[in-house]
Amino acid sequence: MALRSLAIRKAIGLGKSVGLGLRGLQTVTLPDLPYDYSALEPAISGEIMQLHHQKHHQAYVTNYNKAVEQLFQALNKVDTSTVVQLQGAIKFNGGGHVNHSIFWKNLAPVHEGGGEPPHSSLGWAIDTHFGSLEALIQKMSAEGAALQGSGWVVSTVVGFKSLQLFHHCCCHCLYVSANVHLCILFFASLHASFWQWLGLDTEFKRLVVETTANQDPLVTKAPTLVPLLGIDVWEHAYYLQYKNVKPDYLKNIWNVMNWKYASDVYQKECP
Amino acid sequence: MASAAAAASSAPTIWLTGQGLGGRSTRLPFHWRNKKMEQRKTGGRISAKFDLKPPPYPLNALEPHMSKDTLEFHWGKHHRAYVDNLNKQIVGTELGDGKSLEDVVIASYNKGDLLPAFNNAAQAWNHDFFWESMKPGGGGKPSGELLGLIERDFGSFEKFLEEFKAAAATQFGSGWAWLVYKANNRADVANAVNPLPSEKDKSLLVVKTPNAVNPLVWDYSPLLTIDVWEHAYYLDFQNRRPDYISVFMDKLVSWESVSKRLESAKAPAT
């Protein structure tokens, strides 16, 4: 296999036009965490951080490199069906690498500013778009908890003193209480393994809350979206510590959220 | 579906839709009980609910291959939540009017345009099926007609194992891997498009599905399943899904269940 790929690379060097350069295949590597595994406790346990980084993220890196190597060879051979067939593995593992690389930077130990609310332009943008930081956090945590079809979500928009209906393409509305007319919305469960994002739409300079399935990066929702914060809502991100009580994970993670990173990204796009 | 206009009443207003009363052929006599479902007549309204069935063995019976902790959370919390939330979702709707769980799964799949109840209904069904796919002292090889069909359709038991394990390992994200019996090769099963139209009729197949989807929606007969949602194996195996799959096949599979299901699957096949 290695000899054949060497021969192909030599063939390219002899001037055969296959549309690829002579540059060798670049692989990706597992980035180091900017803090110790236990530094995010008690919000996220050291055991989870170590497994998440050394096993899960490492696997995405390894398998992405493998898939890209296979892609390189398929492109050289003009083996189009293999090129197409590899796209699933590339999207999944490449997305896993992209997303987790952002995730580690999204988090910070408390003594390094984790959990400290955003100030300056991002803080102002959040207040403008969502009403307050609390409203944004509640929205992201509620959506993250609901998206498994296993919960009731009662949502209010802070500051408006009214009930806001979150419309979804298939939702039932059921009144259950005599005293307070609550609207309980059942979100269709879209995906069990997903990411919850705070993003910036660079075209309209507008903050958005989005989810992506599996390991799809935020850019797959729209090419103009830039991730500011991502929350890994795959079970591996919290299960050993929180088990089935996902809402507690989604509440506690804000204690180690690195708003400084999000602000830096925001300010670069909206100077 | 309960209407927003019901807000005015002082008691919870839950009623069957017009279609559910009188007009349909599924008018049920009050003494009839479905073993999976309870119907209670309360104040002139009928409500239906599904029960959380326990696994057919104690929660520690699959140790050391699947821990008691896993069963306590997986069955006691996750599966229970699917059933409880399904019951809340279907009350007062057509889905809660006496249908079997399988019927609710298929109706809520809605040709791929999933209704909100689908996730809970399908997961409730999937987990019942999963517990019954395992037994203490399981594993080994199938025998009899089942083994014959496996050897016919996969070449050998070892090749089937390889394909099943690969499907389970490569289901990206949450989902399930299945051994199914495909009775009829219909392009459109009125609810979903047959995903494997070129496979011949009356054959065994390995399929994998994402999240809550199961092969009932394609009119396949499931024979065996393994849950590859992370909550199914994380406490015992962490990230090592392939190890979990191997242990499942070597030590947990109940080939008796699989054989029984094959018999039922073949019986009405045309």
Side-chain angles (χ1 to χ4, degrees):
Chain A
M1 176 87 111
L3 278 178
R4 183 157 63 148
S5 115
L6 180 62
I8 287 166
R9 287 176 193 165
K10 280 190 160 176
I12 294 173
L14 288 173
K16 286 201 180 168
S17 154
V18 288
L20 291 172
L22 291 174
R23 189 163 46 101
L25 185 59
Q26 302 286 347
T27 53
V28 300
T29 53
L30 181 69
D32 286 332
L33 290 199
Y35 37 77
D36 289 339
Y37 288 129
S38 57
L40 303 182
E41 289 183 350
I44 305 177
S45 72
E47 187 187 17
I48 286 182
M49 290 304 293
Q50 184 165 4
L51 277 168
H52 204 171
H53 181 246
Q54 285 184 358
K55 304 290 181 185
H56 290 276
H57 190 172
Q58 179 65 67
Y60 294 128
V61 166
T62 304
N63 292 325
Y64 173 74
N65 288 335
K66 229 186 274 177
V68 168
E69 168 71 39
Q70 291 171 329
L71 176 69
F72 188 87
Q73 291 175 14
L75 286 165
N76 283 332
K77 288 186 281 181
V78 200
D79 178 358
T80 313
S81 39
T82 300
V83 168
V84 170
Q85 191 240 330
L86 285 167
Q87 298 309 305
I90 287 171
K91 183 180 185 189
F92 180 69
N93 292 297
H97 173 57
V98 165
N99 293 340
H100 286 84
S101 300
I102 295 170
F103 188 52
W104 310 133
K105 293 190 265 196
N106 282 162
L107 305 172
V110 169
H111 65 258
E112 286 174 27
E116 218 177 273
H119 303 295
S120 65
S121 56
L122 177 58
W124 180 85
I126 287 172
D127 287 346
T128 305
H129 290 287
F130 299 102
S132 66
L133 179 62
E134 289 69 34
L136 167 63
I137 288 175
Q138 186 167 20
K139 181 177 168 68
M140 287 184 73
S141 300
E143 287 193 12
L147 269 168
Q148 199 166 356
S150 63
W152 302 54
V153 177
V154 181
S155 292
T156 62
V157 175
V158 171
F160 289 90
K161 294 188 168 53
S162 68
L163 290 168
Q164 173 129 356
L165 298 179
F166 287 87
H167 289 282
H168 189 274
C169 59
C170 21
C171 79
H172 288 274
C173 188
L174 181 68
Y175 280 87
V176 293
S177 164
N179 299 324
V180 178
H181 292 272
L182 299 172
C183 195
I184 317 284
L185 295 156
F186 299 101
F187 286 89
S189 164
L190 303 176
H191 299 285
S193 304
F194 64 97
W195 286 76
Q196 182 81 61
W197 300 98
L198 173 67
L200 172 66
D201 182 328
T202 52
E203 190 182 346
F204 298 111
K205 303 295 185 208
R206 189 185 55 189
L207 294 177
V208 295
V209 168
E210 284 284 358
T211 57
T212 57
N214 298 321
Q215 292 299 347
D216 296 355
L218 182 60
V219 73
T220 57
K221 274 277 154 111
T224 51
L225 295 181
V226 164
L228 302 178
L229 289 180
I231 302 179
D232 188 347
V233 201
W234 280 59
E235 287 173 327
H236 66 239
Y238 62 88
Y239 205 78
L240 290 181
Q241 182 176 355
Y242 293 95
K243 312 287 195 310
N244 60 303
V245 193
K246 185 169 58 162
D248 282 358
Y249 163 68
L250 293 172
K251 189 172 63 129
N252 292 341
I253 197 170
W254 296 102
N255 298 333
V256 288
M257 202 58 80
N258 185 5
W259 284 106
K260 184 164 183 319
Y261 169 82
S263 286
D264 289 347
V265 176
Y266 182 81
Q267 273 162 22
K268 211 184 307 178
E269 300 289 338
C270 303
Chain B
M1 197 186 323
S3 148
S9 66
S10 59
T13 307
I14 299 166
W15 68 90
L16 296 174
T17 61
Q19 269 191 307
L21 289 168
R24 294 163 61 107
S25 57
T26 52
R27 204 172 310 184
L28 299 153
F30 295 128
H31 59 272
W32 179 74
R33 273 180 76 98
N34 179 308
K35 66 174 173 179
K36 273 202 186 283
M37 201 185 62
E38 233 179 69
Q39 284 184 319
R40 295 183 312 275
K41 191 171 178 232
T42 21
R45 288 174 237 112
I46 298 174
S47 58
K49 78 188 246 302
F50 295 100
D51 294 325
L52 174 68
K53 253 176 74 179
Y57 36 76
L59 297 186
N60 63 355
L62 301 182
E63 296 216 338
H65 314 298
M66 187 178 281
S67 65
K68 172 162 165 270
D69 269 1
T70 291
L71 267 294
E72 278 179 350
F73 281 100
H74 198 178
W75 173 78
K77 306 281 183 187
H78 291 273
H79 188 178
R80 187 182 303 277
Y82 293 129
V83 172
D84 288 349
N85 289 314
L86 172 66
N87 287 330
K88 287 173 197 159
Q89 276 178 315
I90 62 175
V91 74
T93 73
E94 282 175 17
L95 296 175
D97 69 355
K99 290 181 159 65
S100 70
L101 185 55
E102 257 190 49
D103 285 345
V104 175
V105 171
I106 290 172
S108 57
Y109 184 73
N110 198 29
K111 289 182 189 280
D113 186 14
L114 309 182
L115 302 184
F118 176 77
N119 185 73
N120 288 317
Q123 285 293 79
W125 190 94
N126 295 340
H127 284 84
D128 279 342
F129 195 79
F130 177 56
W131 307 130
E132 290 162 6
S133 296
M134 295 187 285
K135 67 168 201 185
K141 271 177 87 153
S143 55
E145 181 179 25
L146 174 59
L147 181 60
L149 277 189
I150 285 177
E151 286 172 343
R152 183 196 73 178
D153 291 337
F154 294 96
S156 66
F157 177 67
E158 287 67 33
K159 291 225 191 82
F160 152 72
L161 255 194
E162 213 180 283
E163 196 175 321
F164 187 82
K165 286 185 179 184
T170 59
Q171 175 48 45
F172 293 153
S174 309
W176 304 76
W178 307 82
L179 173 65
V180 301
Y181 179 75
K182 178 171 168 297
N184 298 302
N185 190 22
R186 299 200 297 270
D188 176 7
V189 296
N191 188 34
V193 175
N194 188 339
L196 297 167
S198 58
E199 294 282 348
K200 64 186 206 299
D201 281 1
K202 302 193 187 18
S203 62
L204 296 180
L205 297 169
V206 164
V207 293
K208 58 188 182 186
T209 56
N211 302 318
V213 179
N214 67 38
L216 292 176
V217 307
W218 301 315
D219 206 25
Y220 292 175
S221 302
L223 303 180
L224 170 66
T225 195
I226 180 173
D227 187 350
V228 290
W229 282 55
E230 286 178 325
H231 65 237
Y233 59 90
Y234 214 81
L235 296 181
D236 296 334
F237 293 93
Q238 294 81 57
N239 60 301
R240 292 169 287 122
R241 194 197 282 192
D243 288 350
Y244 158 66
I245 297 166
S246 291
V247 167
F248 176 86
M249 294 310 293
D250 291 342
K251 308 284 188 193
L252 291 173
V253 171
S254 166
W255 289 115
E256 286 81 7
S257 295
V258 181
S259 289
K260 274 203 200 97
R261 291 158 175 172
L262 176 64
E263 260 180 64
S264 317
K266 293 185 77 179
T270 46

